Amino acid sequence: MKRLFISTILFWFVTLSFAGNPAYEKAMQQAIGQLETAESPNAYQAAANQFLRIAQVEQSEWLPLYYASYAYIIQGAMSESGEQKDESLDQAQEYLDQAKQLTSDESELVTLQGYIHMIRVTVDPTSRGPELAGKATQTLARAAQMNPDNPRAFLLLGQMQYGTAQFFGGDTSEACGLINQAVVKYENGETENTLMPQWGEATAQAVQQRCAQ
């Protein structure tokens, strides 16, 4: 009788666990669609809120927190004042730190960390560049080393080096080489998990065109 009771509990536990996955995937697909069509800071805020609602339900999943962090990074990049940028990036850092607690070896999370450093530099390149530009470059290089097939790590690393070369009037050939690698990785990259990050390909192609001019 006891064995039957335990078997019944296990059956319903497994059934309910699998039953939750389609709902999670559907909610994530809708939120990703909302993120992809966002065009303003308020729209990115709304997308981040949607992912945070999913994260409250699916507390073992790192992707909702990843996307919430990404939405705040883009909101910060779009903001006009340095104070607004820092406020958005502080939020991005908070949710990225929470995602890191769920998985510690994900190249995409390290890429976002480099992205946060990169956008913080734009608040005041003269005062922040000496510390954060190197930190962003090192972090993105680590993300690329962790997963050489991650095109976003190569894209942001190339953009970082491209911006630095332009700021100091230097050679952009190495940066453009990284962008070319990113474009190839986007073209060759295929994943069966449609919830994994896909952003960045159009940006890589646009920067590649600037490199060719």
Side-chain angles (χ1 to χ4, degrees), residues 50-101:
Q50 186 68 13
F51 284 113
L52 291 175
R53 281 191 283 273
I54 297 172
Q56 287 179 339
V57 177
E58 301 290 345
Q59 297 184 3
S60 63
E61 299 286 350
W62 62 272
L63 277 170
L65 293 165
Y66 167 90
Y67 282 112
S69 178
Y70 173 72
Y72 273 111
I73 292 173
I74 302 304
Q75 183 189 58
M78 296 177 73
S79 299
E80 295 183 359
S81 79
E83 184 178 357
Q84 288 175 332
K85 284 182 187 292
D86 277 333
E87 286 178 1
S88 296
L89 294 174
D90 288 345
Q91 290 289 302
Q93 187 66 62
E94 177 181 341
Y95 298 123
L96 178 60
D97 289 343
Q98 292 181 24
K100 287 178 181 175
Q101 292 177 5

Side-chain angles (χ1 to χ4, degrees), residues 5-47:
F5 175 75
I6 292 174
S7 298
T8 302
I9 292 295
L10 287 174
F11 170 78
W12 281 109
F13 175 79
V14 172
T15 301
L16 289 172
S17 296
F18 279 106
N21 287 339
Y24 165 69
E25 292 176 7
K26 182 179 179 181
M28 284 293 289
Q29 292 287 6
Q30 291 176 341
I32 290 170
Q34 184 177 354
L35 179 66
E36 290 176 341
T37 57
E39 295 182 346
S40 68
N42 286 340
Y44 280 103
Q45 176 73 64

